[in-house]
Amino acid sequence: MSVIDPGDLHPFEAAAPAPVPSKETLAAAGDILRALAAPVRIAIVLQLRESERCVHELVGALGVTQPLISQHLRVLKAAGVVRGERTGREVLYRLVDDHLAHIVVDAVAHAEEGQKP
């Protein structure tokens, strides 16, 4: 086992740069974050985290109009955050994967921590 000599430590030495993803990957990540940027869309993701929902269930849970929910679902769908599956006359929406739910849950938790006295 080697012992570190405190004289060998350089507290102001720059760390190696973190790897940078491709421009395409960064652009796609930006699109996803922009899609998640609206409070109603955050609330939709939180609802869909619990279970798949149709538009009228989201309207009831969030207390906003059907056209507004549909508009926000279009944005989330275009960004690849949600997908819809038609069952009869209804479309059931679900999250594409759990990664995005984690981002939203962490952002909400961080915001709540900042509001505590």
Side-chain angles (χ1 to χ4, degrees), residues 11-31:
F12 300 108
E13 189 173 300
V20 178
S22 70
K23 289 182 181 181
E24 293 80 13
T25 300
L26 293 173
D31 291 343

Side-chain angles (χ1 to χ4, degrees), residues 3 8-10 28 40 45 68 104 106 112:
V3 176
D8 290 343
L9 299 177
H10 303 282
V40 172
V45 170
L68 187 59
V104 170
D106 287 349
E112 288 176 339

Side-chain angles (χ1 to χ4, degrees), residues 6-67:
D8 290 343
L9 299 177
H10 303 282
F12 300 108
E13 189 173 300
V20 178
S22 70
K23 289 182 181 181
E24 293 80 13
T25 300
L26 293 173
D31 291 343
I32 291 167
L33 291 173
R34 276 188 292 284
L36 295 172
V40 172
R41 293 195 287 269
I42 291 170
I44 289 171
V45 170
L46 292 172
Q47 288 294 310
L48 297 179
R49 180 175 172 256
E50 298 301 318
S51 67
E52 61 187 18
R53 309 277 166 109
C54 61
V55 172
H56 76 267
E57 290 173 314
L58 292 169
V59 167
L62 302 179
V64 296
T65 65
Q66 182 273 325

Side-chain angles (χ1 to χ4, degrees), residues 28-114:
D31 291 343
I32 291 167
L33 291 173
R34 276 188 292 284
L36 295 172
V40 172
R41 293 195 287 269
I42 291 170
I44 289 171
V45 170
L46 292 172
Q47 288 294 310
L48 297 179
R49 180 175 172 256
E50 298 301 318
S51 67
E52 61 187 18
R53 309 277 166 109
C54 61
V55 172
H56 76 267
E57 290 173 314
L58 292 169
V59 167
L62 302 179
V64 296
T65 65
Q66 182 273 325
L68 187 59
I69 291 290
S70 294
Q71 177 185 5
H72 285 295
L73 284 168
R74 275 192 297 280
V75 172
L76 291 170
K77 192 172 178 183
V81 176
V82 302
R83 78 173 132 231
E85 186 177 309
R86 184 165 292 282
T87 57
R89 294 182 59 173
E90 294 183 336
V91 177
L92 287 176
Y93 290 92
R94 67 173 50 96
L95 295 176
V96 170
D97 63 42
D98 288 338
H99 293 105
L100 301 168
H102 293 296
I103 292 169
V104 170
V105 168
D106 287 349
V108 169
H110 182 76
E112 288 176 339
E113 288 170 3

